[in-house]
Structures are given as structure tokens and as C-alpha cells.
Amino acid sequence: MSRFPLILLALAGSALLVSTQPSPAGPYSTQPGPAGPAEPDLASLQAAVKELTEERSALNRRLEAAERRLQAVRDGPKVAFAASLGGNGAQKTTMGNKDLIYRDVLTNVGGAYNAETGEFTAPVRGVYYIRFTANGPTNFPLSAVLYKNNDQIQLIVHEQTSGAGSDTASNGAPLMLEKGDKLKMVLWHETHIWDNSNHHSTFSGFLLYDMSEMEEDPAAQLRTLQASVTQIQADNEDVKERLEATEKELKVIEDVPKVAFAASLGGDGLQKATSGGRKLIYKDVLTNIGGAYSSETGEFRAPVRGVYYIRFTANAPADFTLSSVLYKNGGQIQLIAHEQPSGYGSDTASNGAALLLEAGDTLSMQLWHNTQVWDNSNHHSTFSGFLLFPM
């Protein structure tokens, strides 16, 4: 009970004593009687009212700040784009590299992709999922290379000539980008790429997690405030209920773990298995938000039960069988990429799916017996994934 009701009770009790105890000398006596009750302490009463008023004002200010933060979380940036080269035929370069301009825009939520320059500019610091697909006839080398800020190669697809027909290759990964970072696709010297109005060759991406610098933890502020709310009078109960509801919703949103990884085999050459299968260790880590991927073991370990999107890309010369196989918990095959020999040139194969994993489940990649895979510092052969939602 606050001091305000206690003081009122004390005053009421004093009044009762005055009305029920007659003076022993009669109503008109001038003789001194027993000591009466103390005068009401008006200064204490005024201080109690002032303290409660200030406390309510402070709670309202903090609650408004928490609700503004919650609204900011709800209204976070929405970024997604997809575009194709379009046109009607091959783009080829025989005199140096060439920027690819994906002019046929399918989606551009947030307006971060520029169809005039072919560049995507990250509007906020965060983790973005980026992917691209390239198509072209097999009578000339094919390429599509993802660059960050004009000079940092992130991902690549590259196919050597392999005779009559056409090839399609794709790559993708979650990437950590700072606000203002730019991504673009480049066609390498002496290569080509092809598209028409059916969108064979595409460039796309979307924001997974906003990693902008956050203000002081709203949940911590709310926990402190909730301890104070219990001391407020009954007429402040509506503030307490709003505060508890805000804290609960904020906790649900902010406690979702952020998990995203991408790694490549790296190295500079071929890995081949001719005496049984072996685990592939992707040592060149591009992204590892949440630390769930180990570059020492090549394993991704699910930190929580949930649905994860997992994908991988494998590249190798076409003169020998290619493979890349996703295993769960060391023994359960989940996905596979496998290519038989097809002659001169190279092959790229990829696969991916949304998988329900229990906390502690592990995923790893294996190279099967009598198969091969190839990579170098340009990240041809990759393994990546991210948490879609916890369960």
C-alpha cells in the first residue's frame, strides 16, 4: 500500500478519536485537558502525491520509448529484389571484364536494386541472401561473378566449353553486408552469358536479418520498469498491463537466434576420392553468424529446433564423375549433386532445400567413392544455410 492511503487512514482515525472522547472538564472548561492528536502532516501528504505523480510520468515516458522501439522492430526494413538480363541472345566479352546489367526487374521491394547500373546497394547493415543463375551455349566458356564494392569476389559460376548444347549454373549464399555495400555481377574476359524474355539468367536477393546497431536493450529496461510497476496504485494497473504485453512481444521477437553460414572448399585444385568416400571440409568461411559452422570439422550443428534452408554448389572438370552429398548426423543422406563424365570442360551442380532439424543435429558434406570436386579462392564449391524460423 502506498503512503497516500496510509496517511488518509491515519487522518480518519484521528478524527474518530476527537469525536468520541469528551473533555473531562466539560465542553466549556478552560482547564487544560489531555494532549490531543497531532495535526495532519500536510507537507508529507503533498510530498507523497508529488512522488507518485513523478513516478507515473517516468513510467509513461519509458513505456512510450519501449513501444516506439517495438514499432520500429515491427516496421523493420523489407528488402527483396530479382532481375534478369532479358534481351534476346548472348552477351560476350573478348576485351576484358564487363559489368552485367540485369534490366528486366521482376521484384524490387525497398528499391535497393538499380536497373540502370546493375548494382544492389545494402540499405542497412545486415545478413542478405544473394543468388544468381547463368545460362549459355556450351561452345564458349560461360561465367557470372558476384563482386562486392567493385573488387571483392564473393561467389562465381564458371563453365568451360563442352560441345553442343547449353549449360545452366547457379550459386548463392547469405552474406554479411554493411550499410552502403554494393553488389554487382561481372562477365569475365573471354566468356559469355545468354538470356531472353524467359529469364534464364537471373540475379536476386533479400534481407534476412537487420543487424543495425540497436539502442539500449528494451527488454532490460522493461524488466526494471516492471519491478517499479508493482508499487503503483490501483489506478496505474492499465500501465502495468500494457508494459507486460509490450515486454512479452519484444522478447518473442528479439530472442529468435540469428543463424547463417556460408563457406567454400577454397584451396587451389582438385579433391578426389578413389578409395572410399570422405568428408569435405569447407575451410574458407564467408559468413558464420551464430557460430554454428565449424571450419575444422566441416560440420554445421543446429543450435535450436527449427526449419533451416541448406544449399551447396559443386564444381569440377567434366572428365571424371563429380559428387557432393549432404548427410545428417553422419549417416542420413539429405541431398545430392552428382554428374557423370561428359568430356572436355567443367560442370557445376547445386542442390538445396528447407530442412527441419532438431537441436544438435549435424550436417556435413561428403565426396563419394570414385568422384571429385574442385575449388579455388574464387569460391566455386560452396556449402551454406540459415535458420528460417525456430520450432
Side-chain angles (χ1 to χ4, degrees):
M1 181 179 293
S2 68
R3 285 179 291 172
F4 184 71
L6 289 174
I7 292 170
L8 292 179
L9 288 173
L11 291 175
S14 299
L16 184 62
L17 288 172
V18 169
S19 64
T20 58
Q21 295 181 4
S23 170
Y28 303 106
S29 173
T30 58
Q31 297 178 5
E39 289 293 325
D41 189 347
L42 295 179
S44 297
L45 183 59
Q46 290 169 344
V49 171
K50 181 180 179 181
E51 182 181 342
L52 282 171
T53 302
E54 291 175 348
E55 186 176 27
R56 179 187 293 182
S57 297
L59 277 168
N60 281 326
R61 287 195 300 271
R62 293 180 181 181
L63 177 61
E64 288 168 4
E67 289 177 331
R68 285 195 299 271
R69 175 59 190 153
L70 176 60
Q71 192 62 42
V73 172
R74 289 172 177 161
D75 298 339
K78 294 176 176 61
V79 182
F81 78 98
S84 74
L85 284 173
N88 190 18
Q91 296 191 39
K92 181 182 292 188
T93 173
T94 56
M95 297 180 63
N97 296 344
K98 172 186 176 182
D99 288 356
L100 292 169
I101 312 296
Y102 294 75
R103 297 190 184 280
D104 198 345
V105 177
L106 306 174
T107 306
N108 197 13
V109 176
Y113 175 71
N114 186 331
E116 297 300 318
T117 65
E119 287 185 325
F120 169 76
T121 303
V124 295
R125 181 177 188 268
V127 178
Y128 296 78
Y129 182 70
I130 305 296
R131 66 154 290 140
F132 53 91
T133 296
N135 178 274
T138 57
N139 60 358
F140 198 77
L142 173 149
S143 80
V145 187
L146 177 67
Y147 279 78
K148 182 172 81 171
N149 299 330
N150 289 321
D151 61 357
Q152 302 173 39
I153 295 175
Q154 302 296 295
L155 299 167
I156 184 173
V157 295
H158 190 273
E159 295 276 354
Q160 297 293 338
T161 55
S162 59
S166 65
D167 272 334
T168 297
S170 65
N171 210 338
L175 300 177
M176 179 70 188
L177 300 179
E178 300 297 329
K179 181 179 180 179
D181 278 351
K182 295 182 181 297
L183 298 178
K184 68 177 181 180
M185 300 299 302
V186 175
L187 185 64
W188 271 359
H189 174 64
E190 292 287 353
T191 65
H192 74 171
I193 191 171
W194 184 91
D195 199 10
N196 64 10
S197 59
N198 290 330
H199 315 308
H200 293 258
S201 294
T202 59
F203 177 33
S204 64
F206 49 85
L207 175 64
L208 276 174
Y209 307 125
D210 181 359
M211 303 287 284
S212 303
E213 293 298 329
M214 297 184 66
E215 300 173 356
E216 185 182 352
D217 180 18
Q221 292 184 12
L222 293 176
R223 285 192 293 272
T224 301
L225 291 178
Q226 190 168 349
S228 300
V229 168
T230 58
Q231 302 173 25
I232 304 215
Q233 289 184 298
D235 59 354
N236 284 340
E237 284 300 315
D238 60 328
V239 176
K240 180 179 178 181
E241 292 171 2
R242 289 167 57 198
L243 194 57
E244 290 173 343
T246 302
E247 181 181 24
K248 182 177 180 180
E249 188 168 354
L250 268 174
K251 184 174 178 60
V252 169
I253 294 172
E254 295 183 344
D255 283 355
V256 174
K258 294 176 174 60
V259 182
F261 77 98
S264 74
L265 286 174
D268 190 16
L270 201 63
Q271 296 193 39
K272 183 181 289 189
T274 56
S275 58
R278 65 187 178 90
K279 182 187 286 187
L280 292 169
I281 310 296
Y282 294 75
K283 293 188 176 293
D284 199 343
V285 177
L286 305 174
T287 306
N288 199 12
I289 304 298
Y293 174 73
S294 169
S295 60
E296 297 300 317
T297 65
E299 288 186 342
F300 168 77
R301 183 178 297 275
V304 296
R305 185 176 190 269
V307 177
Y308 296 75
Y309 180 74
I310 306 295
R311 65 153 290 141
F312 53 91
T313 295
N315 177 276
D319 61 353
F320 197 78
T321 305
L322 172 153
S323 82
S324 191
V325 187
L326 177 68
Y327 279 78
K328 183 171 79 171
N329 298 328
Q332 304 171 39
I333 295 175
Q334 302 294 295
L335 300 168
I336 183 171
H338 192 272
E339 295 276 351
Q340 294 295 337
S342 59
Y344 176 75
S346 66
D347 276 330
T348 297
S350 63
N351 209 338
L355 302 177
L356 176 60
L357 301 179
E358 300 296 329
D361 278 351
T362 60
L363 298 177
S364 61
M365 302 298 301
Q366 290 194 23
L367 185 64
W368 272 0
H369 174 63
N370 268 344
T371 64
Q372 64 183 9
V373 67
W374 183 91
D375 200 9
N376 65 9
S377 60
N378 289 332
H379 316 308
H380 294 258
S381 295
T382 58
F383 177 31
S384 64
F386 49 85
L387 174 64
L388 282 173
F389 42 85
M391 299 290 287

